[in-house]
Amino acid sequence: MGYNLLKGKRGIIFGALDENSIAWKTAQTVHDEGGTFVLTNAPIAMRMGQIDELAKKTGSEIIPADATSVEDLDNLVAKSVEILGGKIDFVLHSIGMSVNVRKGRAYTDEKYDFTQKGWDVSALSFHKVMQSLYKADAMNEWGSIVALTYMAAQRTFPDYNDMADNKAYLESVARSFGYFFGKEKKVRVNTISQSPTATTAGQGVKGFDGFISYAEKMSPLGNASAQDCADYTITLFSDLTRKVTMQNLFHDGGFSNTGVSQEVIEKF
């Protein structure tokens, strides 16, 4: 049962692949809270996932877009405003991909063409999305833009590979663009640093099951689920958080501020 937190609000949700993805859960929750939105993903990801099913459930339209293509993004923004009947109130950037990880390349043996592609998809795309929105003046005042990140941007997780660098860049873009979007358009820009979550993308990281179980033992509240993250994202889309911007918000059950837990001590 929703609270109508997003009644009358319009948005764009990037990255819904299947029912395990945070973007999928967020779309469902936005719908429950009265918001309307356009769904978008890269054409190849759309062929792999079940985005059509989500669109039917939420009464949403789908606009394919390569998030690394400025032309695609400009088209996405223009069409979204047209379809939704007005300017945008919220955007979720839930995109991440490392070719080095997919190909099994170690961090100390990167293929830099792979590195550049992953950086473009995972991090620079966030700047491109915001630049398209900014130049088109497509965001309503007090709108909210959120991207998903992970704590490997601050701490070393060896198997997270070059995605750690991508996330660090993503968080920097949020702060830098957040200044201009806030000053000139009164739009908020934040990142959510989520617990390791059993999504299709997350499971591609070597040793991911170990990540999850370790974080569960370290976090006083346990890991935040994909649905938990969707619920938190909704608060940032709502009018209840109008003065929160340029923040990297840890949503991890307390993991980020825990040195060691009793469970980990007992384990070793």
Side-chain angles (χ1 to χ4, degrees):
M1 178 178 158
Y3 302 93
N4 275 329
L5 284 177
L6 303 180
K7 186 176 181 181
K9 293 193 181 294
R10 300 176 282 253
I12 303 173
I13 296 178
F14 287 80
L17 183 66
D18 56 39
E19 62 184 5
N20 296 316
S21 69
I22 292 170
W24 184 292
K25 303 283 189 191
T26 302
Q28 288 182 317
T29 309
V30 168
H31 178 67
D32 292 344
E33 292 295 343
T36 57
F37 49 86
V38 163
L39 293 165
T40 185
N41 213 328
I44 187 170
M46 290 174 63
R47 290 195 294 273
M48 291 166 54
Q50 297 100 41
I51 195 170
D52 290 338
E53 178 188 332
L54 178 63
K56 286 175 187 173
K57 284 182 178 177
T58 59
S60 306
E61 291 200 36
I62 304 167
I63 303 176
D66 176 353
T68 67
S69 164
V70 172
E71 184 180 356
D72 277 16
L73 291 171
D74 287 346
N75 177 65
L76 169 68
V77 169
K79 281 192 172 178
S80 295
V81 170
E82 181 184 335
I83 289 167
L84 296 169
K87 289 188 179 184
I88 304 303
D89 298 293
F90 61 87
V91 177
L92 175 65
H93 178 285
S94 180
I95 308 169
M97 182 275 295
S98 166
V99 185
N100 281 307
V101 169
R102 286 186 179 178
K103 300 290 188 182
R105 305 285 298 225
Y107 187 76
T108 52
D109 185 35
E110 288 188 13
K111 189 169 186 292
Y112 293 120
D113 288 350
F114 293 169
T115 307
Q116 190 168 9
K117 178 64 175 175
W119 167 72
D120 198 6
V121 171
S122 306
L124 189 61
S125 65
F126 191 39
H127 191 286
K128 291 177 179 178
V129 167
M130 288 195 283
Q131 184 166 286
S132 289
L133 291 162
Y134 185 87
K135 286 187 172 182
D137 192 23
M139 294 291 297
N140 273 322
E141 283 196 353
W142 304 110
S144 177
I145 301 170
V146 174
L148 301 182
T149 185
Y150 182 57
M151 198 180 174
Q154 287 82 33
R155 297 187 190 175
T156 301
F157 293 80
D159 292 329
Y160 204 64
N161 208 305
D162 59 335
M163 277 303 299
D165 302 334
N166 295 338
K167 293 301 189 186
Y169 188 93
L170 178 90
E171 292 174 16
S172 180
V173 167
R175 288 187 293 272
S176 298
F177 220 126
Y179 172 83
F180 294 102
F181 243 137
K183 197 78 176 169
E184 298 174 31
K185 310 282 189 182
K186 288 190 169 60
V187 171
R188 297 161 280 160
V189 182
N190 295 289
T191 53
I192 295 175
S193 189
Q194 167 70 1
S195 297
T197 311
T199 62
T200 301
Q203 288 169 341
V205 178
K206 181 183 174 186
F208 193 74
D209 289 344
F211 268 21
I212 289 182
S213 59
Y214 173 71
E216 180 71 25
K217 287 181 171 61
M218 277 284 287
S219 308
L221 297 179
N223 289 333
S225 68
Q227 183 59 57
D228 291 333
C229 189
D231 293 339
Y232 189 43
T233 303
I234 295 310
T235 69
L236 293 175
F237 287 167
S238 79
D239 291 332
L240 300 177
T241 51
R242 278 190 164 194
K243 294 300 175 75
V244 180
T245 195
M246 300 163 63
Q247 302 298 309
N248 180 47
L249 301 159
F250 289 99
H251 184 251
D252 58 10
F255 179 91
S256 49
N257 276 329
T258 303
V260 71
S261 68
Q262 192 62 37
E263 289 88 344
V264 170
I265 290 171
E266 289 171 358
K267 179 81 174 174
F268 293 99

